[in-house]
Amino acid sequence: MSNLLTKNLNSSLTVYIMTNSGDTAEGALLELLSADEDQVLYHAFADEEGKVQISDIERGIYDIRVSLAGFMTERINGIELIPDEVILEFELIEKLIPVSGLQYTLLDDNGYDGVKLNWSAPSEAGNRGTSKGADRSLHGYRILRNGIVVEENVQDTLFTDYPPVSGF
């Protein structure tokens, strides 16, 4: 008789994790927390498609936390795992890490007015692996001037013919 009671007390959870940057969410950590104690009760890592599945979860109300190195941790409180199967989607937002050691040189060569920008990659950029061991690397910087992208995938130096930003 007890087998019949426990069979219907469990649920399963499927979560599809995406990133706003288009990077894969492989290795993202999903944690199912007790809603009242903030204790991790279940956890799993996203596969190469960003999918996480946890089965045999005791029905109830949980908080869900999703994290991936280089992205903001997302948390949703009060998720009810009452039906047999719950399917959710998460979008992780990439952390914007400021450069360090920004240097500029004004250029005035044969009528060419511009600026050369040089900087160092942030110290966090080389250490952005997940707890599962996957490594994320810095793809490059996007340079904006007055909200308009002027260059993309820049590594550590930029020559531009755009007028220098105020204050240079």
Side-chain angles (χ1 to χ4, degrees):
M1 187 83 152
S2 64
N3 286 341
L4 293 175
L5 292 174
T6 58
K7 181 178 178 187
N8 294 326
L9 295 178
N10 290 338
S11 183
S12 68
L13 174 66
T14 301
V15 177
Y16 295 93
I17 304 169
M18 299 158 283
T19 67
N20 70 326
S21 65
D23 291 331
T24 179
E26 180 178 9
L29 173 63
L30 182 136
E31 297 173 303
L32 210 53
L33 310 161
S34 60
D36 56 347
E37 298 176 16
D38 208 32
Q39 177 184 3
V40 176
L41 301 174
Y42 302 90
H43 74 278
F45 293 98
D47 65 15
E48 63 278 352
E49 297 174 357
K51 182 178 176 182
V52 177
Q53 288 185 295
I54 304 175
S55 55
D56 294 325
I57 302 168
E58 185 177 323
R59 290 182 182 200
I61 299 174
Y62 296 90
D63 294 346
I64 297 176
R65 182 171 54 207
V66 179
S67 58
L68 178 64
F71 292 85
M72 304 296 289
T73 298
E74 293 292 324
R75 183 175 178 143
I76 295 181
N77 297 326
I79 299 294
E80 290 186 62
L81 297 181
I82 303 301
D84 290 338
E85 182 178 11
V86 175
I87 299 173
L88 300 171
E89 291 183 355
F90 272 83
E91 181 180 52
L92 296 175
I93 306 299
E94 189 169 20
K95 286 182 188 175
L96 299 178
I97 303 170
V99 298
S100 61
L102 179 63
Q103 300 175 352
Y104 68 92
T105 305
L106 295 177
L107 304 173
D108 183 12
D109 187 23
N110 297 327
Y112 174 84
D113 291 327
V115 65
K116 174 185 175 188
L117 302 174
N118 245 30
W119 58 86
S120 302
S123 59
E124 294 178 42
N127 187 20
R128 293 171 63 174
T130 67
S131 56
K132 197 173 180 187
D135 191 24
R136 287 180 37 86
S137 61
L138 182 67
H139 295 285
Y141 296 98
R142 179 177 293 155
I143 309 300
L144 292 94
R145 185 171 192 293
N146 296 327
I148 299 171
V149 176
V150 294
E151 295 287 337
E152 290 194 77
N153 299 319
V154 177
Q155 293 303 311
D156 61 8
T157 302
L158 171 67
F159 291 93
T160 181
D161 57 358
Y162 293 92
V165 176
S166 299
F168 277 7

